[in-house]
Amino acid sequence: LMKPKAAAKSEDSSAAFGFMSQSSRTMSFELRSGFSGSYRDFDASIDGVPPAFLSAAGQSLGDVPSATGSSNRTDFVLIPVVRWGSGGTGSTKFKVGTSLRVSSHAMSHTAGSPGEYAFSGPDEVAAGSGFGALTSAPEGALGSREFGVFTQYESSVGPALRLRLGGRYDYELIGGDGVPLNADWLDATGIRNSDFDDGHHQFGVRGSITWDAVPGRTRVIAAGSLHEGDVDMRALTAAHSQATEATSTRYAGTGIDWPDGGIPALAAPARPLLTLLGPDLRAPRTSLVELGLVQRISSLGSVFIRGSSRRTDFLTRRRNLNLPLVPTAVDPNGRSVFGTVVQDGALVTTTADDARRFPAFGEVWALDPDGWSEYVGLSVGVERSSARLDLYASYTFSRTRDNWIGAGSGTIGAALPPGLPGGEGNDEWAEGTSDFDVPHRAVLGAGTRLGRFTVTGLYRFRSGSPFTPRYRLGVDANGDGSMRNDVAFVPSDGSLDPLLADWDCLSDQVGGFAVRNSCRRPAVHSLSARLGVNVAAFGAWSVRLTLDAFNLLDSGEGTMDDALLLVDPTGSIVVSPDGSTLTLPTGVNPDFGTELYPDTRGRLLRIGLRIGG
């Protein structure tokens, strides 16, 4: 078994240019420009092994969510700025500038790529008996141009008050020939996939005030901002490439040759894959409020406290438009089942047409800007500096909530699980703890200087990432075509008792479906150190040797077994005589929460030579 690997080929390049001219004592001109480019070539196989996973063992043979293809992006930025300042006590500073950004973006999925395979276990791998999914899409290439103007004003409004105000306006224009019309989808639904706004107005304002309550000892800072970013380029390229020629295939196959030989004979056909942009497509908008206090406690140190609140709206979320309006059955716990599911060992999958609202189409995704995220955080810290010793410590408590289901996994099939009891939209699941919620973070740093030597150390701590008890990959419990959004039902028959001592998060959920991100991985710790030595000096220049040791302590977050329920490969699906109820043969996973394999960066030693004035 092998761990996933990154892009087979990655290239990054960048260049920057800056120029500044002082035309007078109070006025200056600045010009900045830059170019950046990135290229990723994704090879979905590892040494000839296609991406796959074993549902029974929970191990990955490859990079499960990958697909063979490529992605590249280039950006050119030009920013001229004029600055004016009055100078002296109580000075006023004024800045105005414009910006130009030209970007191009392209993404493709190679036709005939290995796809993605799931097997029940090692015996099924050897027999070639399992499930496959393949996506193919031509290159989606487009560009964008952004024209902006910004200004900033800074001035003293009192003996101890400093005010800063700024504003920005950008107009982003999406280039290209537009999204091709899918006539078949228009005939089937009356909905055009090619309609969306290609020009977007983006505004931003920011203000802050600094109050030296006790000059030199106590400072209070308050700031607030509201700004709109860029339109999600990934959503745009998906709509371009998955418009008329893209296909998706879900199939079950048997035969030792089919993983390397392609899709087996008599497999499910390749159906059109479609991604639509909502008519209200727009850029994300973020509002931020911060309040901080810095207090010097002696001539050598100070303490600080800072609170912040941030909300982002109009995040892009995926919605499955090809899900049947009426489920075909329910399971004993009330979860809707949307298509015929079949069992092959520990696999539970669907390839049936009844799992699609429009059988002639495969996946049909709508990208709607109805996602939001909220962050609230409070940080406290202390720092001390002296001739021999530097110390720094900080702690942050925060909470992040959103309705951005599955954002942390980065896979399109990890969206809101349909069919859970709780009302339309699954009210208990629609919003809650974010995939990115890290409530506790701490940093402790220390450094000392001893003649020509300096020694520093940095320790970091953070809470483990949240996760949802679920089924193992390879189980599509609700028959919606996705094996990444099936939440587990927490049993109340006593089978869970051996896990409760280690997983308190399960105790309050017995007898119901697991709450989104209700459990959490173990905390993460890391420790790094640096030794620096001044080895030579030449006038104002010095030569310094540095020895960095990274991750001396690195607990990391490995790939864990988050499956609370396992499918019994010796059992079989039970369907009620009238076909209205479907029961999977499942049992509690005794290895729930254990690490399948580590994912730490490992220890790293770096030796450097620094020369400077």
Side-chain angles (χ1 to χ4, degrees), residues 437-582:
D437 181 59
V438 182
H440 303 285
R441 286 178 303 225
V443 177
L444 178 62
T448 182
R449 289 172 288 275
L450 302 170
R452 297 186 299 117
F453 297 88
T454 59
V455 181
T456 59
L458 184 66
Y459 167 78
R460 295 179 182 272
F461 162 87
R462 69 171 176 87
S463 302
S465 301
F467 70 95
T468 305
R470 44 160 292 165
Y471 289 92
R472 184 163 286 163
L473 283 174
V475 177
D476 182 7
N478 62 358
D480 69 338
S482 171
M483 297 183 292
R484 294 189 174 86
N485 67 349
D486 294 285
V487 56
F489 184 85
V490 185
S492 58
D493 57 3
S495 60
L496 196 68
D497 292 348
L499 296 178
L500 295 180
D502 295 324
W503 295 96
D504 293 338
C505 58
L506 299 175
S507 301
D508 297 334
Q509 307 183 66
V510 173
F513 285 96
V515 177
R516 175 191 173 204
N517 285 334
S518 54
C519 293
R520 195 171 292 274
R521 291 173 168 82
V524 178
H525 308 263
S526 68
L527 176 65
S528 300
R530 166 178 289 183
L531 172 64
V533 184
N534 291 326
V535 297
F538 305 95
W541 293 76
S542 64
V543 180
R544 185 173 180 82
L545 179 68
T546 60
L547 181 65
D548 292 306
F550 297 102
N551 309 320
L552 295 174
L553 169 66
D554 185 9
S555 58
E557 278 193 347
T559 299
M560 69 174 301
D561 193 348
D562 60 357
L564 180 63
L565 299 181
L566 299 180
V567 172
D568 180 3
T570 64
S572 59
I573 297 174
V574 178
V575 182
S576 64
D578 61 358
S580 62
T581 305
L582 179 146

Side-chain angles (χ1 to χ4, degrees), residues 20-312:
M20 178 176 288
S21 174
Q22 190 80 26
S23 59
S24 68
R25 186 176 63 86
T26 59
M27 183 172 292
S28 65
F29 172 77
E30 180 181 343
L31 177 65
R32 288 178 289 161
S33 65
F35 167 85
S36 63
S38 63
Y39 175 80
R40 302 289 184 268
D41 185 8
F42 296 97
D43 183 356
S45 64
I46 300 178
D47 299 328
V49 179
F53 51 86
L54 308 182
S55 183
Q59 299 272 7
S60 170
L61 289 174
D63 192 358
V64 174
S66 74
T68 301
S70 62
S71 171
N72 66 77
R73 173 167 181 156
T74 59
D75 290 277
F76 172 76
V77 178
L78 181 67
I79 306 175
V81 180
V82 175
R83 301 174 184 268
W84 176 86
S86 61
T89 303
S91 62
T92 297
K93 298 179 181 179
F94 184 76
K95 177 172 67 174
V96 63
T98 62
S99 64
L100 168 67
R101 177 179 59 81
V102 180
S103 302
S104 65
H105 189 85
M107 183 178 296
S108 67
H109 288 168
T110 304
S113 63
E116 174 183 313
Y117 301 146
F119 301 98
S120 181
D123 292 341
E124 285 75 16
V125 172
S129 176
F131 173 83
L134 185 147
T135 296
S136 177
E139 182 177 77
L142 70 154
S144 67
R145 291 167 290 167
E146 186 177 86
F147 310 91
V149 59
F150 57 91
T151 183
Q152 180 176 296
Y153 169 80
E154 182 179 354
S155 180
S156 297
V157 293
L161 289 176
R162 189 74 176 173
L163 176 68
R164 179 181 290 121
L165 299 173
R168 183 179 184 98
Y169 165 75
D170 294 279
Y171 180 72
E172 185 177 17
L173 181 64
I174 309 301
D177 298 328
V179 176
L181 174 68
N182 190 313
D184 294 334
W185 175 255
L186 179 61
D187 291 341
T189 66
I191 300 174
R192 300 177 65 91
N193 69 301
S194 57
D195 293 342
F196 72 96
D197 190 6
D198 59 1
H200 302 272
H201 301 275
Q202 298 158 1
F203 298 90
V205 293
R206 178 176 176 82
S208 68
I209 188 167
T210 302
W211 176 36
D212 289 322
V214 180
R217 292 189 60 85
T218 305
R219 171 171 290 183
V220 180
I221 303 170
S225 66
L226 178 68
H227 74 273
E228 295 175 296
D230 296 330
V231 176
D232 189 344
M233 193 66 72
R234 294 169 300 176
L236 292 169
T237 53
H240 276 257
S241 62
Q242 299 172 11
T244 57
E245 300 179 30
T247 60
S248 66
T249 310
R250 296 199 304 263
Y251 55 90
T254 299
I256 192 64
D257 296 331
W258 75 263
D260 291 329
I263 301 176
L266 304 179
R271 292 180 170 88
L273 167 65
L274 185 61
T275 295
L276 293 84
L277 299 174
D280 54 347
L281 172 73
R282 58 182 301 177
R285 183 184 66 195
T286 300
S287 59
L288 173 67
V289 177
E290 295 179 303
L291 181 64
L293 169 68
V294 181
Q295 175 67 53
R296 181 171 292 278
I297 54 178
S298 71
S299 60
L300 300 178
S302 61
V303 297
F304 69 87
I305 181 170
R306 180 176 64 249
S308 61
S309 174
R310 181 184 67 240
R311 179 180 173 94
T312 300

Side-chain angles (χ1 to χ4, degrees), residues 306-322:
R306 180 176 64 249
S308 61
S309 174
R310 181 184 67 240
R311 179 180 173 94
T312 300
D313 292 293
F314 310 121
L315 295 168
T316 302
R317 298 199 303 168
R318 285 182 177 264
R319 183 163 51 94
N320 186 358
L321 294 182
N322 210 15

